[in-house]
């Protein structure tokens, strides 16, 4: 039987900004070749001006840039530039416009990335990583067809121009000028003296390309060489102000950092007694910088090194940076995905019901231990295919003590060497043996894939990336993830139980979802879980489990006018904007409508419950779904109350945010039998 051939999908010609972005993408690190900010911004603006020239909107000569046609192009990245040029009363040259428009570069980059994703030329990965889309046929890319990724197509074109005597296409001339300005051609191709001479010759063929080079070479305000003269003195927070803050006494670190940022600015220093001075940065602009540019200036491995050594590990996911971090993150992404959890919903429902079956009306439970054990009863079998309820409390105690001594440094190191801690550390090996004993080929045959399968498989295929010495950390870290998700659940239950009207709305969604049996992944969608999803977003805003992150500065930088030197340890209070009025109006009010259009307050750079940048929580979408299911099932089957009834929430912020030990939950009513 003949098989019909599918015609290749037509893809419109790429614009010059799009071609520049594709050329600069380094797939080994999931980001772009490291280009100094000024050079990159000039190149992006130059690409936009050149595209307007090819669209016959502007023209350039040696002296000036002329407007030809002010008709909009329909391109949101180009039309604001065209309007600004059209509205300028004085005629300027290309060099002037490149420098004037350079502040628009980030907007052009964002719009260009969005379009490349919609065109299925780039794929976006959590943490602000991008890769080229899988191989396909691209048609109508400048009247040519090419089998392969868009990047391969563009690089093959440029390769032909610079390594042969072929007469270059005008667009190829501009692309070569742009990439050469960014000093990236030498990383893409092997260049010899003759080829570099040809590149210089080609770059002289285009006026905009020459203007870009001039703007980069002669600009006197390039920030890379003027740190000291531009920097301001970093303010120091007074001890009195710190100690008198009500947020410090309540343990609300995000609110404390918001208060300090309001008074001292986005960069400030704390000098607690008996420890080294601590440098903090906070605010939505800082979040934007950390998300977009942090990978160029900050690294994680230094602050995490002592902690991972406790597990005999080196180079684990939280401590890696650069290409190895991207490779490991990309390889493990399916294991932490929402899709993986959706494929195991039946098991998840069973584990939740099994735990709730131990509840009796009138019982009262300490909030934190109950929620952590409830979540561990789900994660341990789903992640590792073992039962670990008998050792999870000890493993959690050891992990939190290790974080307090080696990361937060709120306790002296000898506190980790007590007899009790030494006994608990041995349980890490017991867990590893337990996991390995059930992960033999025969026992795993026919079983759904779990996280341990992914780690062990990656170790077998790439023992340098995941050495055997790192499995002890990786597998135990998977288990103690129940700490973070469990603490998030304890805040969610508190918020639900203390707000009866919200409890009723969540209950209504739960009853509708479970009315005809357990819902599948498609039934758990934004429409059916609208209230619950927004409720969870607000819980994560008000009670972010990890309120700040630490990084070491590997390249000096200027943040909001403050110079941050190489070697400084930076405390990034990414959740401080959660309590800033200009980001979240009335921030101390629990309000789920703030996540409805047109407000959509969670889309601002100030919303960061899962961290920022390359180390953003890999399992955030898994966590959102599991948290929602737990909240929905509790509301469907039980009515829980806060105990004592007059409890006023206080927080314990170290090593991560959790409710104080005085919070209890009382089982007030069981609404229905625990059956499927």
């Amino acid at each position: 039987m003949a098989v019909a051939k599918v015609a290749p999908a037509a893809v419109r010609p790429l614009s010059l900004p799009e071609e520049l972005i594709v050329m600069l993408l380094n797939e080994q690190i999931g980001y772009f070749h490291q280009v100094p900010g000024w050079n990159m911004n000039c190149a992006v603006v130059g690409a936009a001006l050149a595209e307007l020239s090819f669209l016959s909107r502007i023209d350039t000569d040696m002296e000036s840039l002329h407007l030809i046609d002010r008709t909009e192009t329909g391109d949101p990245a180009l039309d604001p530039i065209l309007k600004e040029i059209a509205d300028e009363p004085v005629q300027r040259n290309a060099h002037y416009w490149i420098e004037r428009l350079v502040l628009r570069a980030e907007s052009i980059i964002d719009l260009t990335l969005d379009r490349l994703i919609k065109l299925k030329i780039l794929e976006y990965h959590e943490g602000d990583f991008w890769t080229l889309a899988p191989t396909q046929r691209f048609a109508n890319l400048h009247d040519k067809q090419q089998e392969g990724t868009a990047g391969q197509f563009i690089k093959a074109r440029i390769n032909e121009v610079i390594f042969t005597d072929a007469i270059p296409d005008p667009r190829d001339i501009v692309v070569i000028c742009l990439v050469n300005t960014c000093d990236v051609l030498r990383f893409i191709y092997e260049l010899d003296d003759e080829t570099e001479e040809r590149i210089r010759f080609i770059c002289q063929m285009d006026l905009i390309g020459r203007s870009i080079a001039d703007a980069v070479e002669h600009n006197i305000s390039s920030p890379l060489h003027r740190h000291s003269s531009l920097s301001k003195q970093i303010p120091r927070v007074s001890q009195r102000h710190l100690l008198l803050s009500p947020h410090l006494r309540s343990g609300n670190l995000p609110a404390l950092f918001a208060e300090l940022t309001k008074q001292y600015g986005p960069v400030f220093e704390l000098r607690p007694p008996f420890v080294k001075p601590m440098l903090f940065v906070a605010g939505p602009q800082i979040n934007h910088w950390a998300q977009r540019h942090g990978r160029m200036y900050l690294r994680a491995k230094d602050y995490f090194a002592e902690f991972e050594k406790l597990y005999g590990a080196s180079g684990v996911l939280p401590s890696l940076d650069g290409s190895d971090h991207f490779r490991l993150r990309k390889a493990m992404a399916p294991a932490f995905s929402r899709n993986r959890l959706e494929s195991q919903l039946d098991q998840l429902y069973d584990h939740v019901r099994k735990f709730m079956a131990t509840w009796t009306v009138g019982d009262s439970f300490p909030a934190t231990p109950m929620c952590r054990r409830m979540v561990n009863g789900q994660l341990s079998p789903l992640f590792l295919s073992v039962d670990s309820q008998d050792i999870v409390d000890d493993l959690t105690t050891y992990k939190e003590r290790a974080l307090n001594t080696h990361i937060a440094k709120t306790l002296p190191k000898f506190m980790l060497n007590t007899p009790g801690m030494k006994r608990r550390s041995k349980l890490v090996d017991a867990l590893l043996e337990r996991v390995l004993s059930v992960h033999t080929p025969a026992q795993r045959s026919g079983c759904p894939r779990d996280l341990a399968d992914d780690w062990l498989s990656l170790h077998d295929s790439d023992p340098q990336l995941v050495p055997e010495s790192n499995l002890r950390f990786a597998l135990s870290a998977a288990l103690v993830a129940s700490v973070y998700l469990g603490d998030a659940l304890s805040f969610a239950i508190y918020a639900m139980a203390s707000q009866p009207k919200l409890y009723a709305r969540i209950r209504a969604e739960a009853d509708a979802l479970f009315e005809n049996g357990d819902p599948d992944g498609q039934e758990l969608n934004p429409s059916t879980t609208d209230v619950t999803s927004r409720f969870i977003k607000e819980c994560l805003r008000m009670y972010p489990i990890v309120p700040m992150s630490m990084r070491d500065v590997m390249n000096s930088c200027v943040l909001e006018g403050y110079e941050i030197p190489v070697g400084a340890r930076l405390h990034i209070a990414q959740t401080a904007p959660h309590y800033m009025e200009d980001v979240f109006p009335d921030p101390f009010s629990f309000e789920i409508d703030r996540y409805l259009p047109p407000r959509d307050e969670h889309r601002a750079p100030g919303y960061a419950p899962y961290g920022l940048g390359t180390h953003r929580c890999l399992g955030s979408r898994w966590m959102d779904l599991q948290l929602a299911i737990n909240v929905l099932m509790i509301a469907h089957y039980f009515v829980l109350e806060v105990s004592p009834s007059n409890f006023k929430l206080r927080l314990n912020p170290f090593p991560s945010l959790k409710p104080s030990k005085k919070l209890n939950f009382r089982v007030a009513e069981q609404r229905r039998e625990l059956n499927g």
Side-chain angles (χ1 to χ4, degrees), residues 221-248:
S221 62
S222 173
L224 296 174
H225 303 294
R226 295 175 58 83
H227 288 179
S228 297
S229 60
L230 291 175
S231 62
K232 300 181 286 187
Q233 175 115 20
I234 295 174
R236 185 184 304 173
V237 176
S238 75
Q239 293 292 327
R240 184 174 182 276
H241 184 168
L242 187 64
L243 294 174
L244 291 178
S245 170
H247 306 309
L248 180 67

Side-chain angles (χ1 to χ4, degrees), residues 319-371:
S319 70
L320 282 176
D321 299 287
S323 58
D324 283 341
H325 177 254
F326 175 61
R327 284 174 58 213
L328 185 54
R329 188 182 178 95
K330 188 178 178 184
M332 294 304 298
F336 293 98
S337 69
R338 180 186 173 104
N339 288 340
R340 175 70 63 85
L341 183 57
E342 284 184 350
S343 71
Q344 304 174 78
L345 284 180
D346 289 345
Q347 297 176 62
L348 178 59
Y349 295 140
D350 289 344
H351 294 313
V352 176
R353 289 192 181 97
K354 180 181 177 181
F355 190 87
M356 292 194 300
T358 64
W359 296 354
T360 302
V361 174
D363 286 347
S364 186
F365 303 98
T368 299
M370 183 200 85
C371 291

Side-chain angles (χ1 to χ4, degrees), residues 18 36-37 63 74 101 108 128 150 159 232 331 335 339 355-356 360 389 473 479 484 497 500 576 591 616 621 627 642:
E18 290 165 348
E63 301 298 329
L101 296 168
I108 297 171
D128 267 18
N159 183 82
K232 300 181 286 187
N339 288 340
F355 190 87
M356 292 194 300
T360 302
Q389 293 286 61
F473 177 90
L479 184 61
Y484 299 109
E591 183 185 350
R616 187 179 186 273
R621 298 191 71 236
L627 197 53
V642 172

Side-chain angles (χ1 to χ4, degrees), residues 20-289:
L20 174 64
I21 293 298
V22 171
M23 278 287 287
L24 292 180
L25 181 66
N26 180 347
E27 282 210 282
Q28 289 184 324
I29 62 172
Y31 201 61
F32 305 101
H33 288 281
Q34 298 299 289
V35 180
W38 178 261
N39 300 33
M40 176 73 169
N41 291 347
C42 287
V44 168
V45 171
L49 291 175
E51 186 66 22
L52 287 171
S53 176
F54 283 118
L55 293 173
S56 300
R57 297 303 195 273
I58 62 172
D59 196 9
T60 58
D61 57 29
M62 296 296 293
E63 301 298 329
S64 61
L65 184 150
H66 309 274
L67 177 71
I68 298 175
D69 182 357
R70 68 182 301 154
T71 305
E72 291 188 350
T73 66
D75 186 326
L78 300 180
D79 287 338
I81 292 175
L82 179 62
K83 183 179 186 305
E84 194 163 340
I85 292 172
D87 292 344
E88 175 65 23
V90 180
Q91 200 167 78
R92 309 287 189 175
N93 61 21
H95 186 156
Y96 168 87
W97 281 110
I98 288 168
E99 290 193 358
R100 173 167 161 177
L101 296 168
V102 79
L103 294 178
R104 292 187 179 272
E106 285 205 3
S107 174
I108 297 171
I109 291 171
D110 289 341
L111 290 167
T112 301
L113 287 169
D114 288 344
R115 282 186 297 180
L116 289 170
I117 292 168
K118 290 177 182 176
L119 289 170
K120 300 189 184 305
I121 289 173
L122 293 186
E123 288 187 343
Y124 175 77
H125 305 267
E126 288 287 345
D128 267 18
F129 293 103
W130 290 267
T131 55
L132 290 167
T135 299
Q136 56 180 296
R137 175 175 288 278
F138 289 90
N140 196 30
L141 283 173
H142 311 312
D143 301 319
K144 298 180 182 179
Q145 289 190 359
Q146 181 81 15
E147 190 74 36
T149 65
Q152 291 168 335
F153 171 69
I154 297 167
K155 289 171 185 174
R157 276 178 24 221
I158 303 305
N159 183 82
E160 182 180 357
V161 171
I162 64 178
F163 287 104
T164 72
D165 293 330
I167 298 175
D169 180 273
R171 297 185 73 90
D172 291 343
I173 293 173
V174 176
V175 171
I176 291 169
C177 289
L178 296 172
V179 181
N180 189 57
T181 295
C182 296
D183 194 24
V184 167
L185 284 173
R186 60 195 174 98
F187 299 116
I188 301 174
Y189 309 103
E190 292 186 13
L191 306 179
D192 55 24
D193 292 343
E194 183 178 349
T195 308
E196 289 184 347
E197 181 58 37
R198 176 163 172 78
I199 290 169
R200 284 192 289 272
F201 173 73
I202 292 170
C203 289
Q204 290 299 309
M205 295 180 177
D206 180 73
L207 285 173
I208 287 182
R210 287 159 60 182
S211 297
I212 295 169
D214 288 344
V216 170
E217 182 178 354
H218 300 300
N219 178 64
I220 60 172
S221 62
S222 173
L224 296 174
H225 303 294
R226 295 175 58 83
H227 288 179
S228 297
S229 60
L230 291 175
S231 62
K232 300 181 286 187
Q233 175 115 20
I234 295 174
R236 185 184 304 173
V237 176
S238 75
Q239 293 292 327
R240 184 174 182 276
H241 184 168
L242 187 64
L243 294 174
L244 291 178
S245 170
H247 306 309
L248 180 67
R249 294 194 296 274
S250 68
N252 192 338
L253 290 188
L256 171 65
F257 294 139
E259 175 193 338
L260 295 178
T261 303
K262 182 178 181 180
Q263 174 151 351
Y264 294 95
V267 181
F268 53 87
E269 185 181 78
L270 293 180
R271 296 205 170 190
F274 313 117
V275 298
K276 293 181 179 179
M278 303 168 69
L279 187 59
F280 285 81
V281 293
Q285 291 79 18
I286 295 294
N287 280 15
H288 177 75
W289 175 87

Side-chain angles (χ1 to χ4, degrees), residues 566-610:
V566 170
R569 176 152 294 176
L570 211 56
H571 297 75
I572 306 170
Q574 74 269 2
T575 60
H578 289 196
Y579 283 87
M580 292 182 175
E581 286 274 359
D582 55 339
V583 182
F584 293 97
D586 196 11
F588 290 92
S589 294
F590 195 100
E591 183 185 350
I592 68 171
D593 287 351
R594 64 174 81 245
Y595 306 108
L596 286 172
R599 292 174 67 176
D600 286 328
E601 293 171 18
H602 61 297
R603 301 191 186 282
Y607 186 73
Y610 289 120

Side-chain angles (χ1 to χ4, degrees), residues 452-521:
D453 289 323
D454 288 278
W455 279 121
L456 294 169
S457 174
L458 191 54
H459 162 65
D460 289 339
S461 63
D462 196 343
Q464 283 189 308
L465 185 63
V466 182
E468 184 179 346
S469 57
N470 282 6
L471 292 176
R472 191 171 182 263
F473 177 90
L475 296 175
S476 62
L479 184 61
V480 296
S482 57
V483 170
Y484 299 109
L485 185 50
D487 291 347
L489 179 60
S490 67
F491 282 122
I493 295 174
Y494 165 78
M496 184 168 64
S498 60
Q499 300 178 89
K501 290 182 179 179
L502 263 177
Y503 206 152
R505 294 176 68 186
I506 294 169
R507 183 185 302 123
E509 280 192 341
D511 291 350
L513 277 165
F514 287 90
E515 182 179 12
N516 298 313
D518 293 339
D520 60 24

